[in-house]
Amino acid sequence: KAGVTQTPRYLIKTRGQQVTLSCSPISGHRSVSWYQQTPGQGLQFLFEYFSETQRNKGNFPGRFSGRQFSNSRSEMNVSTLELGDSALYLCASSLEGGRQETQYFGPGTRLLVL
Amino acid sequence: QKEVEQDPGPLSVPEGAIVSLNCTYSNSAFQYFMWYRQYSRKGPELLMYTYSSGNKEDGRFTAQVDKSSKYISLFIRDSQPSDSATYLCAMKDADSWGKLQFGAGTQVVVTP
């Protein structure tokens, strides 16, 4: 079974621009979670989607948004990019995001904001 | 204070030694515990998952959970240079959809 895929793998943007990242979960998985990983803050939860609905959200500003499509693929968008948004953005999928389920991560999208 | 504390290392051990990693947590709502391994420039890979106090073994890996002390551990026996990576502990409470709380990660270096 194919794993979680993320596109693009690398991205360079300038301050003020916006960016859209894409995540395709493992086949059959309907829950997709997004995380930001930086050297200073580590892995931080952004939000989780299930059945095209955001069920959970972390403590990030409204510039960070996401959505999920009917085939469970998910996108996240960051508007008005800041230098501090430079990070590895990871998505993870699970069957339904339930309490006992584990999450499987994709390779990440490395975003550099200049 | 962070909800999950993990020493970032680096932790350097000779090949064949036992690697001992641990995390402490403050949120008693955490019920599910995972260990992930992350190689440089890669996504985290699930190693171990447990939800009860006690030990769980899988090959060279043993995960230990002590809920009364809010302390989890991961042991790697017969360490190999290929085990050199960052090891992340992660935790989840029963009511938070799709959210894992991670430790800072411990960088492990196994020297030949």
Side-chain angles (χ1 to χ4, degrees):
Chain A
K1 194 183 269 192
V4 177
T5 58
Q6 292 186 246
T7 56
R9 293 293 310 279
Y10 303 93
L11 211 46
I12 300 175
K13 292 286 188 179
T14 55
R15 276 183 302 172
Q17 287 188 310
Q18 75 159 13
V19 67
T20 300
L21 312 181
S22 181
C23 172
S24 292
I26 291 170
S27 178
H29 285 193
R30 298 163 61 198
S31 168
V32 175
S33 297
W34 287 89
Y35 296 85
Q36 180 196 65
Q37 186 174 31
T38 60
Q41 299 298 319
L43 265 151
Q44 293 185 286
F45 174 77
L46 281 156
F47 30 65
E48 186 259 4
Y49 283 87
F50 175 80
S51 198
E52 302 179 66
T53 301
Q54 185 183 91
R55 285 193 304 192
N56 202 353
K57 189 177 188 307
N59 296 324
F60 278 82
R63 300 185 296 107
F64 292 83
S65 63
R67 59 177 176 168
Q68 187 181 36
F69 302 94
S70 59
N71 62 357
S72 296
R73 190 177 70 85
S74 178
E75 289 181 348
M76 69 162 280
N77 185 77
V78 188
S79 63
T80 319
L81 284 165
E82 300 177 0
L83 295 180
D85 296 333
S86 294
L88 180 67
Y89 290 88
L90 293 157
C91 83
S93 75
S94 64
L95 281 169
E96 296 188 346
R99 55 181 62 184
Q100 292 199 26
E101 293 178 14
T102 53
Q103 294 183 8
Y104 298 89
F105 283 81
T109 294
R110 190 164 296 276
L111 171 65
L112 177 62
V113 182
L114 301 175
Chain B
Q1 186 189 5
K2 292 185 177 181
E3 282 190 294
V4 182
E5 298 281 358
Q6 183 178 11
D7 187 335
L11 177 64
S12 184
V13 300
E15 183 176 354
I18 294 175
V19 176
S20 174
L21 304 165
N22 58 74
C23 290
T24 59
Y25 61 97
S26 56
N27 188 348
S28 57
F30 289 141
Q31 297 294 318
Y32 307 99
F33 306 92
M34 287 137 273
W35 286 95
Y36 286 85
R37 176 175 64 194
Q38 186 175 25
Y39 291 112
S40 181
R41 301 195 170 275
K42 302 283 188 183
E45 170 194 9
L46 180 67
L47 285 176
M48 299 288 283
Y49 167 65
T50 184
Y51 54 87
S52 58
S53 284
N55 292 358
K56 181 178 179 180
E57 210 172 293
D58 185 0
R60 297 186 296 116
F61 300 94
T62 300
Q64 204 171 68
V65 174
D66 183 346
K67 289 185 179 180
S68 62
S69 301
K70 297 190 179 70
Y71 187 91
I72 68 170
S73 300
L74 178 72
F75 301 96
I76 308 173
R77 291 183 297 281
D78 188 25
S79 58
Q80 305 295 312
S82 57
D83 293 325
S84 298
T86 296
Y87 290 81
L88 298 145
C89 63
M91 309 181 184
K92 188 178 182 189
D93 66 44
D95 299 319
S96 188
W97 293 110
K99 176 183 178 181
L100 297 180
Q101 191 73 41
F102 281 86
T106 300
Q107 184 186 0
V108 172
V109 179
V110 180
T111 54

